[in-house]
Amino acid sequence: MAPESQPMFDTDEIVLNMGPQHPSTHGVLRVVLRLDGERVVGSDVVIGYLHRGIEKLCENRDWTQIVLLTDRMDYVAAATNNVGYCQTVEKLMSIEVPRRARYLRTIMCELQRIASHCLWLGTHAMDIGAMTVFLYAFRERELILDLFEEYCGARLTYNSMRIGGLPLDIPPGWDKKVLAFCDIMDTKLVEYEQLLTHNRIWLERTKGVGVISAEEAVAIGLSGPPLRGSGVKHDIRKDEPYAAYDEMQFEVPVGEAGDTYDRYLVRIEEFRQSVKIIRQAIEGLPEGPITGKVPRLIKPPAGETYHAIESPKGELGYFIAADGKSTAPYRFRVRPPSFCNLQALPRLIQGHLVADVVALIGSVDVVLGEVDR
Amino acid sequence: MTSGLITFYAVGALIVVFALLVVTSRNTVHSILYLVADFLAVALLYATMNSMFVATIQILVYAGGIVVLYLFVVMLVKQKSESELASDPRRRNVIGGILVAAVLGELVVLGVSNAISPAAPSVNAPGGVENVAMALFTDYLIPFEVVSILLLVAMVGAIILARREI
Amino acid sequence: MAEEPKAPASPAGTPSAKPAPAVRKPAAAVAPTGPVDPAPADDVEVPAWLVALQAAIPDGVTQLTYWVGDWTVIVPAGRLLEVGRHLHTGGFDFCSDVTATDWPLRAQRFDMIYALYSIRDRNRVRIKVRVGEDETVPSVCGLWPAANWLEREVYDMFGVNITGHPDRRRILMPDDWQGHPQRKDYPLEGPGELLMENPLDWLRLKQAAQEADIE
Amino acid sequence: MIDAIVLPLLKILVVLNAVLVGVTFMVLLERKVIAWAQARLGPMRVGPYGMLQPIADVLKLMVKEDITPAKADKWVFTAAPMIALIPALIVFAVVPFGPEVSIFGRRVTLAITDLNVGLLYVVSVTSIGVYGIILAGWASNSKFPLLASLRASAQLISYEVAVTMILVSMVVSAGTLSMAGIIDAQYQQGVWYAFAQPLAFVVFFIGGLAETNRAPFDMPEAEQELTGGFHTEYSGMRFALFFLAEYANMIVVSCVATTLFLGGWLQPFPNVSALSFLGFVPGWMWFLGKTFVFLYVFLWIRATLPRYRYDQLMRIGWKVLIPLGIANVVVSAVLKVLL
């Protein structure tokens, strides 16, 4: 729907193309808005600009080579993708992962959640005009990237997991550094809250914007913080515990009104819960091997399974079918949380103003690498 | 005295030129810009007669307020392209011509009858703040109140007409 | 009752002695004919809601499978909406995923897979529907609006004929794209000319090439 | 002859250069202040601690290509930035920088001119500034700038009313429209109006923020939504003119606020004898110091506060500031009569 170009501005509907190249669409997302003045009358989300065909690629790669490709889907939380994939294959081959590896996986997932939420907070606040929070959030994210760089040598695409456990043990002193990071994070969270949570302008820009009820959120397939923001207490870490989450004590933050402000509060509380989990996991880190009994040439028996984990964006599910003979999965399917959360965008922005569309894209927190795969 | 006279005529000429430009310019926005320039020239005229209060009010009310709304209207309303304007049948009617001739005639008569003598710029300028204030609130109080009520009615009417649930 | 996987036509896999040389292994020698749907072993106790489902719609469930802890219900295309409505009212309110698998050498080529989750009772089930290339499958957007984009992606990637979908357009590929990329007979390196005219010839050509490569 | 022609020209020269240089250094100050607020250093590369950055900016903008969009209305497109800048600069004619001072034995008032309608002059000239923004939006002949220019003009007009109401109440309590007169009134009454009428002070400051499209009200050039607002199509020197206009407007609002509310060049507690030692600091130093405080607060607010949505901004303008302004006029008038 290319915008029709009238010579002069007339007051009926105009079509505005937000994206695919736009400062606040967090990647190559195109939202075609039909506006009546400032109000959004209708919208259509156009995606697919970053489609690399990862699912098809994985169906032509070995089981171990696929870990690399899962890094590149949600590039903001790469370790979570790796954990999700490895656990699905371990479930297929019913491999028992040693306790130390499960603890380390939990720590990595929670560190990745904090890093992803830092990026969300920074860009979300920047879109609504609070520039300083962006710099603060990225300063903390740098600390996490350093931790990951020390562990697996990379800052973005970690390749940090292997089927059956971890490729290498954590360097000495790494756990001390993680604890140090947790202390810093607690003080910095107070800074974020001071800047935003009780800020009148922030309240005015986020309260009552993009309200969605619990039933509607479940029906349209929202998951993760957007779903919990509407009051649905569903967190896969609690409902279907994986890695070492069954041994961790933490609460699942839930909002009430289901507006942008509640989603913001849910994610800010998730920061704290993640720090709490990391502390418990580091203190209780058991000794022992870091990989289970894994055959040298990985060939899962014929069969298929669906395994979901709680990524920072929502329910990240892997549906993998093996045919028992070839060294590549027969069917490799990813249920990306950003894709399903983005589906709710037209419903959320209906009737709002252009400025709210920007706030809502930030509030739904999508990563286009995961949406387009 | 002669320097006062020269400036008066210069500014006067400026006003007339701008007024003509307003009427003759093809593009509507250009004509509005000339209108703004015209009002500023009139304000300049008041300034040369050193009644600064009236000059600043002229800028504030006319140039800063009313013409901005003209510009709003012009920008929002769909423009006729230049070609349509030229061939618009209604422009070439006779009555328009007669009216213009009549007005011009009156001006000439007025100009000739009382010898051209520019109002001498007096020191205690009639346009000073105190004089205007005193006049406004003593001799012309009733018309002032009537005009303010009229404006109020106009505002309320405008709001009712543009009744979109704001 | 479980379907025995047919022995694949040609000897399987690559010679095992030599370590994997090339970075990318050639794809499966021959695409197997269909998924392994193992029947639940006898010591596994069928959950109540599954029994209730089978009771409520006797011919709705053609087969029940259990594998590494997942329950799958194989349903004929005609009864999908009925089974879906029963499960939806039974608590499966969250449709987490809709996808498909392509078994090109099987009569009913596609497997439509609906992964459902119940937030209240915290359990998962998968509905599997076998669909041929020319058959149609009803859209479940009425029951779960979440399936809207998921079904659009299945249509875009596999070309499964989904009817009753409110807005069935391509979602990831450009609108004027020819062919459906995630089909097994769609070459990894993108559409060549031969593929456009006759995909099955292309597939046989590719298999012949692989066999020649093995001797 | 000298007093009538040469002296004013000299004053204009000094003030104009001071303002233009001041504006370029304002840009550096803004980037530095926001950088410090965000735990980073800001420009450090050009000159020691980035001090020569403004010169680099000006040179960059001068040599950059100056593009005019194809179907744009050429004349209006080039005139718009000038129309935006000129009012911002000519307002400095009435700003009283300092008291009477004698240089080389000649009494010189540190203000270009002292109109008896000074304050009204300020209001009327700033109201011309809105043309620059409207015409820029219209002349660029593309959808985004047009939307932005409509927003900007609506915002300016509504906040202009609020600010004018406050100025009226200041005139009521000071008794004169002339800027120097207001400062003397504050000296006679022995109190700065910021403390005499704190509400007016706050409303004026908020109105000033909105009038210069700054901080929480920088709707028109909200990059996130309208890709750059009304100066999307501008580049090179014309864009620099808009930039200068924005910062010059900021300085104007700060100067007017200092004159009206912080007693211009008066030292704090002028008639308290104990503090008379403050007298050695010259008047214009006080004036510049107070203006700098205001400018710093402008930048500080930009670093911390998020941005209002357009309809909230209009609601605040019409439903909060203007009623407060009118109420302030009434109250100060009643007080003036009673006291």
Side-chain angles (χ1 to χ4, degrees), chain A residues 145-290:
Chain A
L145 296 190
D146 294 345
L147 286 175
F148 270 106
E149 186 171 8
E150 197 177 330
Y151 168 66
C152 55
R155 287 168 58 85
L156 194 67
T157 54
Y158 304 134
N159 190 6
S160 59
M161 298 293 160
R162 289 298 175 274
I163 296 165
L166 294 143
L168 28 91
D169 207 337
I170 54 172
W174 191 77
D175 43 4
K176 303 281 176 303
K177 288 191 178 133
V178 172
L179 281 179
F181 164 76
C182 290
D183 306 338
I184 296 171
M185 197 63 207
D186 278 338
T187 56
K188 296 300 180 223
L189 269 173
V190 172
E191 264 177 39
Y192 303 157
E193 300 247 40
Q194 273 163 1
L195 264 175
L196 291 179
T197 306
H198 307 296
N199 182 323
R200 253 187 68 74
I201 301 176
W202 179 262
L203 283 168
E204 201 129 345
R205 279 300 295 275
T206 53
K207 234 179 187 0
V209 171
V211 179
I212 187 163
S213 68
E215 302 74 29
E216 225 179 328
V218 168
I220 204 158
L222 279 176
S223 62
L227 182 65
R228 290 191 286 277
S230 302
V232 177
K233 195 171 177 55
H234 165 51
D235 186 334
I236 297 178
R237 295 176 295 176
K238 276 283 190 212
D239 299 345
E240 298 163 305
Y242 54 94
Y245 282 107
D246 39 15
E247 303 167 32
M248 299 291 158
Q249 278 71 38
F250 63 98
E251 293 92 33
V252 174
V254 174
E256 294 96 22
D259 55 8
T260 305
Y261 188 62
D262 276 9
R263 290 187 280 268
Y264 160 79
L265 287 180
V266 161
R267 288 196 179 95
I268 289 289
E269 187 49 32
E270 274 186 10
F271 268 116
R272 288 201 179 79
Q273 295 307 320
S274 295
V275 169
K276 196 167 126 187
I277 293 173
I278 292 176
R279 279 214 178 90
Q280 289 171 40
I282 287 281
E283 268 119 25
L285 190 60
E287 290 311 318
I290 50 166

Side-chain angles (χ1 to χ4, degrees), chain D residues 130-142:
Chain D
V130 82
Y131 281 106
I133 294 176
I134 297 181
L135 292 176
W138 181 79
S140 318
N141 198 0
S142 83

Side-chain angles (χ1 to χ4, degrees), chain D residues 22 43 68 74 77 98 119 123 156 173 194 196 199 289 292 295 309 317 335:
Chain D
T68 311
K74 236 172 67 53
F77 189 74
L119 212 49
V123 170
L156 287 187
S173 50
L199 175 68
F292 182 76
L295 289 174
R309 213 178 39 207
L335 283 181

Side-chain angles (χ1 to χ4, degrees), chain A residues 44-45 47-49 51 53-57 59-62 65 91-94 217-223 227 232-234 236 238-240 296-297 299 301-306 308 315 317 319 321 323 325-327 329-336 339-340 342-343 346 371-373, chain C residues 8 12 19-20 22-25 27-32 35-37 67-70 72 93-104 111 113 115 117 119 122-124 126 128 144-150 152-153 157-158 167 169 171-173 181-188 206:
Chain A
D44 178 27
V45 177
I47 55 173
Y49 292 91
H51 177 60
I54 287 188
E55 291 182 6
K56 178 113 182 152
L57 268 175
E59 284 162 13
N60 293 280
R61 285 212 181 302
D62 279 1
Q65 288 169 336
K91 184 177 171 189
L92 260 180
M93 298 170 72
S94 36
V218 168
I220 204 158
L222 279 176
S223 62
L227 182 65
V232 177
K233 195 171 177 55
H234 165 51
I236 297 178
K238 276 283 190 212
D239 299 345
E240 298 163 305
R296 207 183 60 74
L297 184 64
K299 230 185 225 173
E304 52 195 36
T305 185
Y306 176 83
E315 173 182 329
F319 172 78
D323 61 9
K325 286 184 292 305
S326 72
T327 58
Y330 185 79
R331 173 73 177 107
F332 179 90
R333 155 70 183 169
V334 176
R335 189 259 184 201
F339 181 85
C340 299
L342 191 59
Q343 185 174 199
V371 170
D372 294 346
R373 281 171 322 266
Chain C
V23 166
R24 193 171 65 77
K25 276 266 184 50
V30 159
V36 166
D37 292 328
W67 173 255
V68 287
D70 299 352
T72 311
D93 44 10
F94 187 76
C95 169
S96 63
D97 197 7
V98 174
T99 188
T101 311
D102 175 17
W103 307 90
D111 268 354
I113 295 148
Y117 178 72
I119 290 185
R122 290 210 285 271
N123 47 27
R124 286 186 186 277
R126 280 203 301 280
K128 202 187 282 188
W144 297 286
N148 188 322
W149 274 21
L150 296 165
R152 270 180 70 185
E153 185 182 350
M157 288 296 150
F158 288 91
D167 166 24
R169 285 177 291 145
I171 190 163
L172 289 175
M173 304 304 282
Q182 280 201 338
R183 286 185 174 185
K184 282 294 176 187
D185 51 22
Y186 192 95
L188 179 62
K206 188 173 175 211

